[in-house]
Amino acid sequence: MKVVITDPIADAGVERLREAGHTVEAEYEAEGEELLDVVADANALIVRSGTTVDASVFEAADDLVVVGRAGIGVDNIDIDAATEHGVIVANAPDPNVRATAEHTIGMLFAAARSIPQAHQRLKAGEWAKGDYLGTEINDKTLGIVGLGRVGQQVAKKCDSLGMDLVAFDPYIPEERAEKLGVELVEDLDECLRAGDFITIHTPLTPETEGLIGAEEFELLDGGYVVNCARGGIIDEDALADAVLQGNVDGAALDVYKTEPLPEDSPLLEVDEIVTTPHLGASTESAQTDVALLTADQVIAALNQEPVTHALNAPSVDESTFGQIQPYIDIAETAGRVATQMLDGRISTVEVTYSGEIAEEDIELVTASALKGIFEPLQWKVNAVNAEKVANDRGVEVIESKTRQAEDFQSVVRVTVGNDDNEVHVDGTLFADNEPRIVRIDDFRVDAIPYGRMLVVDNYDEPGAIGHVGTVLGEHEINIAGMFNGRETIGGEAMTVYNLDDQVPEEVIDELESDERIIKVTQITLQERDEEEE
């Protein structure tokens, strides 16, 4: 498959992609219409912060499966548009976390002890020992704005340096903060008032853009500000003014609203502000690890395997995936069977997990069930956008679990319904993870869920099954397998036939012409060899 890379990544990542059999094209200068041209036939796109991936990119790239962000921030990627088009967006946060946290600590010391300024003056021939009176960080309070991955690493390192820690993050549980030795505060203002040093670790979103400006700097009453997260969170003009006016003692910035930083930026005019050119993730090991992690996630997405850092799709770790993988296919198949058996539109979906599977992370399994339900309706759907498709079409989705399972270790039941009717389909695994459909509505069956199936509702009367076999035989349609279940003797019954051939509509009409036959439903599934591939 074709992978387009529009921002440079380490060679190790490119080689990983090629070793996996993919064609890699580097298009580092592509933007605007040229970008749309180069992604038109791409299956994967890898970017850093230099490429804007907006709705037009997804509209131009019909074959696009995944966008890999070689780094943490994804404010340059329209995730809503990606989801709309069923494209996975995955970032590579872990390697950058360590590097960015270490750079943040370096910037804390640089600002507190005026290290760059003193260095420059010494290089210029000045011995300015008496001009710099530094601030120790021991016993000082660090205010952390955003206690995510990087913020937590910074907290751990600064705790070891003897700092007291407070943080503002409305999305972090208090228990997690307590384990880190961090006091969570109610609002941003309280965090700013408490901190002798303030460090920023939030993503850039509409809510965080311009989060800290002139009013916030007035709350600091001295102290230092460090931002190695994203540009645009801090009002740079207001920061420069606050340092000049003495409301802030100093600052250290690695990221800026406009990058490269313009030569006329007021930040460059203030001696107490340390600036570095977005070096947070610029370590050799981080760049290599980011490239490899991004490549691995792209490869997984193209292989239809779980993507560990997907931002808009269900993701599971490798150990969990081994437990749920067999149920992904059976849930999708149960969904396909159920939706093809229901008369009328679908308004409700319920996926029920019974037995051991109920103890696992089953978000990806549910997404696969929705994919199976919606694909026969010719809705463009995959595990990325299945939930959104359901919401957009007004389909209510319910997920439930129970540890009790009759007869089997684990069962996945998919129920589709509307105001007039509903259909239940149960799937499970036999020995060697062999999938089976074991119940349709109230009928016990034992159906192999591959290829072409014919589901026949009939009265439990002599000759009903023989009639079906005779008609199929007369039309040279071979029966590969047959599974029968009934409610009561002489009541209604259901027979599931695995067939080698498609059944023409006129043959179905002939089957239903017999008064013993209630209804005949033809179901198309994937072939066995396609599943195994």
Side-chain angles (χ1 to χ4, degrees):
M1 292 189 177
K2 179 180 175 180
V3 180
V4 172
I5 304 176
T6 56
D7 297 310
I9 65 171
D11 291 343
V14 177
E15 288 306 310
R16 181 72 59 88
L17 290 163
R18 288 177 174 153
E19 289 170 1
H22 300 296
T23 301
V24 181
E25 295 185 6
E27 300 284 354
Y28 298 153
E29 304 299 323
E31 59 182 25
E33 289 298 322
E34 185 180 356
L35 175 62
L36 302 185
D37 289 339
V38 300
V39 301
D41 60 346
N43 304 108
L45 173 64
I46 295 178
V47 303
R48 295 180 66 84
S49 59
T51 301
T52 298
V53 187
D54 57 19
S56 66
V57 173
F58 298 108
E59 290 167 2
D62 289 338
D63 299 325
L64 197 61
V65 174
V66 58
V67 174
R69 166 63 165 97
I72 300 177
V74 290
D75 47 281
N76 57 316
I77 302 172
D78 189 335
I79 295 180
D80 289 339
T83 303
E84 181 77 27
H85 288 79
V87 178
I88 297 170
V89 176
N91 65 351
D94 295 334
N96 280 356
V97 165
R98 180 179 61 252
T100 303
E102 289 184 1
H103 193 69
T104 299
I105 301 302
M107 296 289 265
L108 280 172
F109 280 112
R113 301 302 299 269
S114 302
I115 294 172
Q117 298 92 328
H119 168 75
Q120 283 298 112
R121 292 183 65 179
L122 186 59
K123 294 239 341 174
E126 296 182 61
W127 186 261
K129 180 178 180 180
D131 291 350
Y132 297 105
L133 185 64
T135 299
E136 296 183 16
I137 66 174
N138 182 58
D139 287 334
K140 298 299 191 300
T141 297
L142 177 67
I144 305 171
V145 181
L147 198 59
R149 291 172 180 262
V150 179
Q152 291 180 27
Q153 287 294 316
V154 169
K156 291 176 182 178
K157 296 178 187 301
C158 288
D159 182 54
S160 300
L161 294 171
M163 300 190 80
D164 296 323
L165 307 172
V166 300
F168 168 66
D169 191 324
Y171 305 106
I172 292 293
E174 191 168 342
E175 306 80 56
R176 177 59 180 161
E178 288 177 355
K179 289 181 180 179
L180 294 166
V182 178
E183 177 191 353
L184 275 184
V185 294
E186 292 294 326
D187 54 42
L188 176 62
D189 288 0
E190 187 176 353
C191 182
L192 297 177
R193 289 192 185 98
D196 300 300
F197 292 81
I198 300 297
T199 183
I200 314 298
H201 301 292
T202 71
L204 179 64
T205 67
E207 290 74 24
T208 62
E209 186 172 8
L211 181 68
I212 300 177
E215 293 183 5
E216 286 72 28
F217 290 129
E218 290 182 2
L219 302 174
L220 292 177
D221 191 24
Y224 299 84
V225 176
V226 175
N227 183 19
C228 296
R230 304 297 287 178
I233 297 171
I234 287 177
D235 184 328
E236 295 168 5
D237 292 346
L239 174 61
D241 186 63
V243 176
L244 286 173
Q245 298 300 322
N247 286 342
V248 177
D249 293 331
L253 275 66
D254 185 50
V255 291
Y256 312 94
K257 185 173 184 179
T258 300
E259 296 185 3
L261 184 64
E263 293 181 2
D264 60 351
S265 169
L267 298 173
L268 300 175
E269 302 298 321
V270 183
D271 190 53
E272 292 82 7
I273 297 179
V274 177
T275 55
T276 55
H278 206 146
L279 299 179
S282 295
T283 68
E284 183 176 350
S285 60
Q287 292 302 298
T288 298
D289 291 347
V290 161
L292 289 172
L293 178 56
T294 304
D296 286 342
Q297 294 198 96
V298 166
I299 292 167
L302 295 177
N303 290 341
Q304 299 184 30
E305 296 172 354
V307 179
T308 54
H309 294 291
L311 301 176
N312 63 336
S315 59
V316 295
D317 58 40
E318 292 182 4
S319 60
T320 301
F321 182 65
Q323 300 298 319
I324 68 169
Q325 183 179 19
Y327 293 96
I328 293 174
D329 288 341
I330 196 64
E332 181 176 337
T333 301
R336 285 179 180 273
V337 174
T339 198
Q340 292 179 72
M341 291 195 64
L342 182 72
D343 291 326
R345 65 179 297 272
I346 295 173
S347 58
T348 60
V349 172
E350 182 171 3
V351 186
T352 304
Y353 299 90
S354 304
E356 294 179 358
I357 185 64
E359 299 177 7
E360 303 293 342
D361 179 356
I362 42 72
E363 185 181 8
L364 185 57
V365 184
T366 298
S368 297
L370 293 175
K371 178 175 180 286
I373 291 167
F374 296 146
E375 274 192 341
L377 304 176
Q378 297 184 338
W379 297 357
K380 186 177 180 181
V381 64
N382 59 20
V384 177
N385 62 5
E387 184 176 351
K388 185 178 188 304
V389 168
N391 290 335
D392 291 346
R393 300 294 181 114
V395 178
E396 180 185 10
V397 179
I398 302 169
E399 185 181 275
S400 59
K401 295 182 177 182
T402 174
R403 294 187 178 183
Q404 302 300 317
E406 296 182 5
D407 304 326
F408 302 101
Q409 285 186 324
S410 296
V411 175
V412 178
R413 165 172 284 192
V414 178
T415 303
V416 297
N418 51 42
D419 293 338
D420 301 318
N421 193 18
E422 67 178 15
V423 175
H424 313 282
V425 178
D426 291 7
T428 191
L429 300 172
F430 283 9
D432 298 324
N433 286 338
E434 185 69 23
R436 287 289 194 276
I437 298 297
V438 293
R439 184 180 293 275
I440 299 176
D441 289 337
D442 295 326
F443 299 100
R444 284 291 302 270
V445 297
D446 181 9
I448 299 173
Y450 296 112
R452 298 168 181 84
M453 292 171 54
L454 200 68
V455 179
V456 179
D457 293 282
N458 59 275
Y459 294 109
D460 184 35
E461 296 179 5
I465 293 176
H467 166 69
V468 174
T470 299
V471 172
L472 294 177
E474 289 175 349
H475 291 275
E476 297 185 347
I477 298 171
N478 191 50
I479 299 174
M482 185 186 76
F483 313 93
N484 178 253
R486 63 183 181 183
E487 291 180 330
T488 59
I489 297 175
E492 291 188 12
M494 175 179 287
T495 308
V496 179
Y497 300 86
N498 282 105
L499 305 176
D500 291 337
D501 305 289
Q502 190 83 7
V503 181
E505 284 297 322
E506 59 268 21
V507 177
I508 292 177
D509 292 340
E510 185 176 346
L511 290 171
E512 291 182 334
S513 67
D514 190 289
E515 62 183 11
R516 293 166 296 188
I517 306 302
I518 302 170
K519 179 184 177 184
V520 177
T521 305
Q522 182 164 219
I523 295 172
T524 302
L525 302 173
Q526 290 179 306
E527 299 292 344
R528 181 185 291 269
D529 59 349
E530 291 177 354
E531 290 282 318
E532 292 173 351
E533 287 175 1

